[in-house]
Amino acid sequence: MNKNWLEADESAYLAEHFRLTHGVPVRSGELIPVTEFLDEKTCADCLARMSGYLHAPSLKVTASLFAKRYAFLTVAPILYAMTVYNKAVTLDIGHCQLVLAKEPGEPWLSRLHVRASDVRAFAAGDRSEWREQIIRSLFAGHIAPLWHTISRVANIPRMVLWENTAVRLFSLYEKRIKAEAGSELRERVQADFACLLKHAPAPWFGEEQNPFAQFCEFGDSEPGAATARPGRIRKTCCYHYKVSSREGFCSACPRAKSR
């Protein structure tokens, strides 16, 4: 097992675009060990503190917005490294700290700091088995335990938390990686994305079914959109309208379409 982090340019990319940092002491902001979200009492305390940052009216709203941000900080960079770098980055919950900061130009949950992690590049053999280990570790071993606890504490359906995760997954593969990856990566990109959406079984996610399969439906393109490509149909509301200064719902929100 390689004990090193990524190459310097790879590490810099994940830090710049996904706010995932490693091995650099964090000097500003409130540090929250991610393990605190695994205990219902400390999870409730953490969500309550975050509610103050967001001016959120309830833990349910905070939990939904937290899931969207946390998926960006974890799911996006780990899957990006898997598909683009062909490297497995292990995110042990016990080594992860969230940086909660309210600074000019900084998001409320500014980054995820990883104290230690293993990186294992794919060398030879069956890549599907190697990929399975990454997906299991990330989702069944890391994301699912958090979503299960947060769902109970905030009284929010896990479906909302998983759809917030799916939004990050779709954006990663259908926008960022599609725009950046050359033709030599096209087959790997398609295989990894299809595995996550269609082929990976429920145990890999720590759930009773693949949580992403139910969110794959496309709808009609938005009126006036620059492209005729249809967008994904969102099935749950993320409650962002509860803390947004703008009136109304997100364009893909099912609440907006029902009115």
Side-chain angles (χ1 to χ4, degrees):
M1 182 75 72
N2 183 359
K3 296 296 183 181
N4 296 321
W5 188 233
L6 300 158
E7 298 295 331
D9 60 332
E10 297 169 344
S11 180
Y13 185 96
L14 298 189
E16 177 183 357
H17 295 279
F18 301 112
R19 300 302 190 96
L20 179 66
T21 60
H22 176 272
V24 179
V26 177
R27 300 182 183 277
S28 63
E30 179 184 357
L31 286 177
I32 303 178
V34 177
T35 51
E36 292 196 6
F37 289 90
L38 297 177
D39 175 81
E40 292 191 10
K41 183 180 184 306
T42 55
C43 178
D45 292 341
C46 289
L47 291 176
R49 293 206 303 276
M50 291 178 178
S51 293
Y53 277 79
L54 292 168
H55 304 292
S58 67
L59 292 188
K60 178 183 289 188
V61 173
T62 302
S64 178
L65 299 183
F66 170 79
K68 291 178 75 173
R69 184 62 181 168
Y70 194 75
F72 172 80
L73 296 171
T74 54
V75 172
I78 299 309
L79 294 181
Y80 185 93
M82 178 185 78
T83 297
V84 178
Y85 302 148
N86 220 15
K87 293 184 177 181
V89 180
T90 302
L91 277 189
D92 188 305
I93 291 181
H95 293 157
C96 295
Q97 296 173 307
L98 286 166
V99 183
L100 187 62
K102 197 71 171 180
E103 301 174 2
E106 286 286 307
W108 64 282
L109 206 56
S110 63
R111 57 192 176 276
L112 182 74
H113 181 68
V114 185
R115 297 197 307 272
S117 182
D118 290 340
V119 176
R120 180 166 50 92
F122 177 71
D126 188 348
R127 190 176 182 277
S128 62
E129 292 184 3
W130 176 83
R131 180 176 57 204
E132 175 187 345
Q133 293 175 0
I134 297 172
I135 296 174
R136 279 184 178 272
S137 175
L138 175 60
F139 292 108
H142 192 130
I143 298 298
L146 293 177
W147 285 184
H148 282 236
T149 305
I150 290 172
S151 174
R152 293 193 298 270
V153 169
N155 192 29
I156 184 172
R158 291 206 306 275
M159 184 177 181
V160 175
L161 305 180
W162 278 114
E163 184 162 23
N164 287 345
T165 311
V167 167
R168 298 306 189 190
L169 181 70
F170 298 146
S171 178
L172 177 70
Y173 281 94
E174 296 175 342
K175 295 180 181 179
R176 181 178 294 276
I177 293 180
K178 182 179 180 181
E180 295 178 356
S183 57
E184 71 278 5
L185 289 181
R186 187 172 300 139
E187 184 176 345
R188 186 197 305 168
V189 172
Q190 293 174 345
D192 288 354
F193 194 32
C195 177
L196 287 159
L197 297 187
K198 302 176 182 178
H199 308 311
W204 295 15
F205 300 97
E207 292 288 357
E208 295 180 357
Q209 62 179 353
N210 180 322
F212 298 135
Q214 60 189 317
F215 303 124
C216 294
E217 186 178 357
F218 282 100
D220 297 331
S221 57
E222 292 294 323
T227 175
R229 186 180 187 278
R232 298 280 182 181
I233 295 177
R234 185 156 182 127
K235 296 187 176 182
T236 65
C237 175
C238 72
Y239 309 124
H240 183 263
Y241 75 96
K242 293 282 190 178
V243 298
S244 175
S245 58
R246 303 193 308 261
E247 293 186 3
F249 304 106
C250 302
S251 60
C253 182
R255 291 176 182 264
K257 297 182 183 301
S258 65
R259 292 196 169 192

